[in-house]
Amino acid sequence: MYLKTLSLGLVVGLLASTSAMALDTKRLEPKDEKFSFEGPFGTYDRGSLQRGYQVYKEVCAACHSANHLAFHDLAEAGGPEFTEAQARALATAGKLPADPNDKGETTDDKGAPLMRSATLADHFPSPFPNEQAARANNGGALPPDLSMVVKAREGGPQYVYSILTGFGGTPPHGFKVTDGKYYNPYFEGWNISMPPPLKANTVSYSDGTKATVEQEAHDVVTFLTWASEPKMEERKRFGFGVLAFLVLLAGVLFAAYRKVWKDAH
Amino acid sequence: MSGPSTYTPKSGIEKWIDQRLPLPRLMHDTMQTFPTPRNLNIWYTFGGILTFCLAIQIVTGVVLAMHYVANAGLAFDSVESIMRDVNYGWLIRYMHANGASMFFLAVYIHMFRGLYYGSYKAPRELIWIIGVLIYLLMMATAFFGYVLPWGQMSFWGATVITNLFSAIPVIGTHIATWLWGDFAVGDATLNRFFSLHYLLPFIIAAVVGLHIWALHVPGNNNPLGIDVKTPQDTVPFHPYYTVKDAFYLVLFVILFAVFVFYAPNFFGNPDNYQPANPLVTPPDIVPEWYLLPFYAMLRSIPNKLMGVIVMGGAIVTLVFIPWLDTSRVRSCSFRPMMKQFFWAFAVVCVLLGYCGSQPVDAAIAGVPLVWVARLATLYYFGFFWLIMPIIGLIETPKKLPASIAQSVLGASAAPAE
Ligand code: HEM
């Protein structure tokens, strides 16, 4: 195992150094996009979260699942904060495989699976019934679950933003885009199996925001960051209280410490 | 605890209990009147901090275990549902995950403190050796714990580490299979690791008891490394050290809180937010930061069995330190040569950690890191097995102060009676 890793490492190293002479396809540093949720006091921009949900639902959900999100999350504090009625409406639009009906059937007369509307308690439906179906529809590649993708990638929000806005460049001389793949220098190896998901006006925002690719990417990344860390606002707020208390306590203890030790050293 | 007890029960109830179970007496003598050198500095507060860390891990761990599901198909999602659906589950989990890192930060400071001030020297050899045992148990516990969320690094870390046992000639693969409970890391492995992860912290707690028991026979060493001679050299543990330990503990907790609330994934690896997948090997398998120096040693040796022996030897070596150090003087403050080798050793440990964190084929300034790690490993062993015994014999230590009291209080200290 270890030897294998080592020799694998050597081979990879050799390959990397030979291809480096031709072309280094290490992913580029992510773009330095700024988000409202950064820093110790940063919070999610509600408008951006709601627009981001729209982008997710209308675009990404065609290929990607987000299994850890439930519809009621959309109405929770610290999230997109749709009203409960809005969240319920969004749930109803989602379709899930139904339980067997009272005749024990799971398909209708034509053999199509029975479906039901989602409720607030349901998690987001997946676009494909299983991994094989997902791969079959995506040229063999698996679109990863998006609920935690921001936390699961080095570079976080900036990385995902760069992937989404990193299409469309002209590949440098000597770089061959693999058949069925797309050129994206922010992705390791530069060949990604995801077709460019965003174009200007892919979605039409009801709040009048102009739907440029950058705006759509910014919004959906905000949404996905919330999906990864739905308790971030609560965490930072709580942390501030805890730290304030601890600093106060440290002050009191320091005074006590000085007093006790006054004559001892 | 050394010497006669000074406890006098203050009430009838206390007296009644004390005659039947001298627990009040034990508490009184160990936590109240215990004579403690008056010159202990900030580095001596980490013993208390470590006890706090263990308590935090046990309390948060027991709560996590109420919601966690030790099943290869469910573990990942159960951890994620702790983060999302359990009230303050995110807090409990982030405290536990960051708590492990803080625990190791504290234990490393504590151990380097011991090395610098010669706290392992007679009559404290057993305190040191028990400490090494605690450290070993901590590493095992943390390794088992890291497997539990069943992410990519959990799975592949477990695979790499358990595979090390297969380096043992003849019976190696059988041992690996026996550890796994299967022919690869899987559900059976996860279940037994959870069982052990739950068990070991309580064993650590018991061994910590021995550690403190052994400490309370000779009492604390101190930055001067000289023995306590008169009562003037000491102060009662309470209130002097209770208040001092409490103050520094709170500073430590502030650092801990900054990570938990503002950078909870700082020590984590993003790959561990992807569910374990036996079919996809991550490009770089890296252990948690606190195991990196040993990982670097392992990888720098081209032969797997030798690598495992070197890695194990690095820890076993620690047990022999009390006899490898030939110096008459404990504290490096009075050892001009040893002091320099000590700091070089500290740097080498950090360097090893860095090497372990980088891909196998990495290089700095054209020097392959494997070679940096090899030289560092050489220094690690050379420091203990050559430098320590030799320097102790050839070095001329600086003049030691006459007493702790004199050194702290200056001329105003009354001469020893
Ligand atoms: C010496 C004390 C301990 C150390 C150093 C330790 C360390 C760890 C580590 C490093 C993890 C992985 C954290 C992550 O990335 O999620 C973990 C997880 C876990 N530990 Fe512990 N632990 C300790 C004590 C305990 C105790 C006493 C219990 C239970 C009684 C416990 C229960 C758990 C559970 C259920 C998990 C899985 C949930 C999770 O990954 O967050 N731990 N531990």
Side-chain angles (χ1 to χ4, degrees):
Chain A
M1 173 69 206
Y2 166 70
L3 270 182
K4 232 161 73 190
T5 322
L6 194 80
S7 46
L8 200 79
L10 274 172
V11 173
V12 170
L14 275 174
L15 280 178
S17 56
T18 47
S19 68
M21 276 179 276
L23 200 66
D24 185 3
T25 59
K26 237 182 109 50
R27 68 181 172 97
L28 300 186
E29 277 299 307
K31 302 177 186 177
D32 188 21
E33 177 75 355
K34 296 274 180 286
F35 291 97
S36 64
F37 50 77
E38 287 164 357
F41 299 105
T43 53
Y44 297 117
D45 174 342
R46 299 294 154 227
S48 191
L49 278 180
Q50 298 199 353
R51 291 192 300 272
Y53 173 69
Q54 186 185 352
V55 177
Y56 162 76
K57 196 183 96 184
E58 292 178 12
V59 186
C60 323
C63 302
H64 292 275
S65 62
N67 288 332
H68 290 284
L69 294 179
F71 284 102
H72 67 82
D73 292 334
L74 295 172
E76 227 113 279
E81 298 187 359
F82 287 109
T83 63
E84 200 175 310
Q86 285 172 319
R88 185 166 286 121
L90 293 169
T92 316
K95 295 283 176 273
L96 288 166
D99 286 339
N101 65 16
D102 40 17
K103 291 199 208 97
E105 297 158 345
T106 53
T107 53
D108 63 16
D109 305 340
K110 299 185 192 75
L114 293 178
M115 302 298 276
R116 66 170 171 90
S117 289
T119 66
L120 280 182
D122 282 311
H123 283 226
F124 287 9
S126 304
F128 302 105
N130 51 53
E131 180 180 334
Q132 287 78 353
R135 284 187 190 278
N137 281 284
N138 284 284
L142 180 68
D145 185 86
L146 290 186
S147 8
M148 275 182 285
V149 79
V150 171
K151 276 206 289 196
R153 294 291 182 282
E154 200 73 59
Q158 279 76 17
Y159 171 76
V160 177
Y161 177 85
S162 307
I163 292 281
L164 295 176
T165 56
F167 291 96
T170 329
H173 188 69
F175 179 75
K176 171 118 179 51
V177 181
T178 313
D179 265 355
K181 298 207 180 201
Y182 305 85
Y183 170 67
N184 191 327
Y186 295 96
F187 187 71
E188 191 66 39
W190 296 5
N191 273 310
I192 191 166
S193 300
M194 169 165 70
L198 299 173
K199 284 193 275 305
N201 300 315
T202 302
V203 295
S204 92
Y205 288 138
S206 59
D207 64 358
T209 308
K210 219 166 154 278
T212 59
V213 171
E214 285 72 23
Q215 183 66 42
E216 291 166 347
H218 185 98
D219 291 342
V220 78
V221 168
T222 303
F223 174 77
L224 292 176
T225 306
W226 166 77
S228 293
E229 277 284 302
K231 308 288 167 145
M232 183 206 73
E233 293 189 5
E234 183 187 14
R235 164 159 64 72
K236 287 179 180 173
R237 229 179 309 117
F238 201 92
F240 185 78
V242 169
L243 282 178
F245 168 76
L246 286 173
V247 169
L248 215 70
L249 183 61
V252 172
L253 282 169
F254 185 66
Y257 168 43
R258 290 291 294 269
K259 185 148 185 276
V260 167
W261 278 85
K262 196 159 55 136
D263 301 320
H265 56 51
Chain B
M1 242 166 8
S2 54
S5 171
T6 57
Y7 177 68
T8 37
K10 280 188 211 69
S11 63
I13 300 176
E14 276 182 65
K15 190 166 174 199
W16 188 89
I17 299 177
D18 188 55
Q19 280 168 352
R20 286 157 182 82
L21 175 73
L23 193 60
R25 179 177 301 274
L26 182 73
M27 302 301 274
H28 175 89
D29 293 346
T30 56
M31 309 224 300
Q32 224 166 340
T33 54
F34 189 68
T36 314
R38 65 193 315 149
N39 61 337
L40 301 188
N41 57 22
I42 174 173
W43 308 115
Y44 282 77
T45 62
F46 280 86
I49 289 172
L50 282 161
T51 316
F52 170 82
C53 288
L54 179 61
I56 287 286
Q57 290 308 98
I58 290 183
V59 171
T60 54
V62 168
V63 177
L64 284 173
M66 295 174 187
H67 304 279
Y68 172 77
V69 186
N71 173 295
L74 303 170
F76 185 87
D77 285 352
S78 79
V79 171
E80 203 45 43
S81 113
I82 291 172
M83 299 284 289
R84 289 162 193 266
D85 305 331
V86 174
N87 288 332
Y88 293 104
W90 57 267
L91 177 60
I92 301 289
R93 196 232 169 180
Y94 278 154
M95 278 175 74
H96 196 77
N98 286 283
S101 280
M102 300 311 285
F103 203 167
F104 276 93
L105 179 69
V107 88
Y108 282 131
I109 293 175
H110 192 67
M111 292 169 78
F112 275 102
R113 185 281 319 258
L115 269 184
Y116 188 85
Y117 293 126
S119 302
Y120 47 81
K121 290 177 80 70
R124 298 185 180 80
E125 299 95 322
L126 270 183
I127 308 178
W128 174 263
I129 291 171
I130 293 170
V132 174
L133 180 64
I134 296 173
Y135 174 51
L136 201 65
L137 288 167
M138 276 175 65
M139 289 199 284
T141 307
F143 164 67
F144 293 138
Y146 194 59
V147 177
L148 302 186
W150 211 238
Q152 273 290 69
M153 274 305 149
S154 300
F155 180 87
W156 288 99
T159 301
V160 169
I161 301 293
T162 49
N163 256 311
L164 294 178
F165 288 91
S166 65
I168 301 168
V170 189
I171 52 168
T173 44
H174 297 285
I175 293 183
T177 313
W178 177 73
L179 287 175
W180 294 328
D182 200 338
F183 294 105
V185 174
D187 197 39
T189 325
L190 177 60
N191 266 286
R192 61 190 57 190
F193 281 12
F194 180 50
S195 171
L196 293 172
H197 186 68
Y198 209 135
L199 171 67
L200 288 191
F202 295 92
I203 300 203
I204 294 178
V207 181
V208 167
L210 296 181
H211 192 66
I212 296 173
W213 188 8
L215 169 72
H216 280 211
V217 177
N220 297 73
N221 182 32
N222 62 82
L224 297 174
I226 57 177
D227 289 329
V228 167
K229 290 173 191 124
T230 65
Q232 265 224 321
D233 289 342
T234 65
V235 289
F237 188 76
H238 180 74
Y240 289 94
Y241 283 106
T242 40
V243 72
K244 185 167 182 169
D245 281 356
F247 171 63
Y248 284 109
L249 172 63
V250 170
L251 292 191
F252 183 82
V253 175
I254 288 176
L255 177 70
F256 183 12
V258 167
F259 283 114
V260 167
F261 294 107
Y262 295 101
N265 293 304
F266 177 82
F267 296 109
N269 187 312
D271 280 8
N272 229 26
Y273 281 111
Q274 297 175 35
N277 185 346
L279 302 176
V280 179
T281 319
D284 295 306
I285 301 173
V286 245
E288 293 267 88
W289 69 267
Y290 38 79
L291 303 178
L292 287 174
F294 301 107
Y295 192 54
M297 289 184 189
L298 174 76
R299 287 197 311 186
S300 71
I301 315 284
N303 176 289
K304 182 168 157 186
L305 181 58
M306 277 311 291
V308 174
I309 291 172
V310 165
M311 191 168 71
I315 296 166
V316 172
T317 293
L318 301 177
V319 171
F320 296 100
I321 293 178
W323 298 278
L324 290 172
D325 184 354
T326 52
S327 169
R328 289 173 295 112
V329 172
R330 290 196 188 102
S331 172
C332 276
S333 304
F334 302 100
R335 304 186 58 190
M337 287 172 82
M338 195 56 191
K339 193 190 236 168
Q340 294 173 32
F341 286 108
F342 168 86
W343 286 113
F345 176 73
V347 171
V348 160
C349 289
V350 175
L351 189 66
L352 273 170
Y354 171 76
C355 292
S357 73
Q358 297 300 305
V360 249
D361 52 353
I364 26 173
V367 187
L369 278 187
V370 197
W371 278 103
V372 177
R374 280 177 192 156
L375 290 177
T377 305
L378 209 62
Y379 185 82
Y380 182 100
F381 284 93
F383 176 73
F384 292 119
W385 291 97
L386 288 174
I387 295 174
M388 246 188 188
I390 294 174
I391 298 295
L393 297 176
I394 63 172
E395 174 184 55
T396 324
K398 287 198 246 170
K399 192 172 169 319
L400 296 174
S403 76
I404 294 173
Q406 206 182 52
S407 148
V408 176
L409 305 171
S412 70
E417 292 141 52

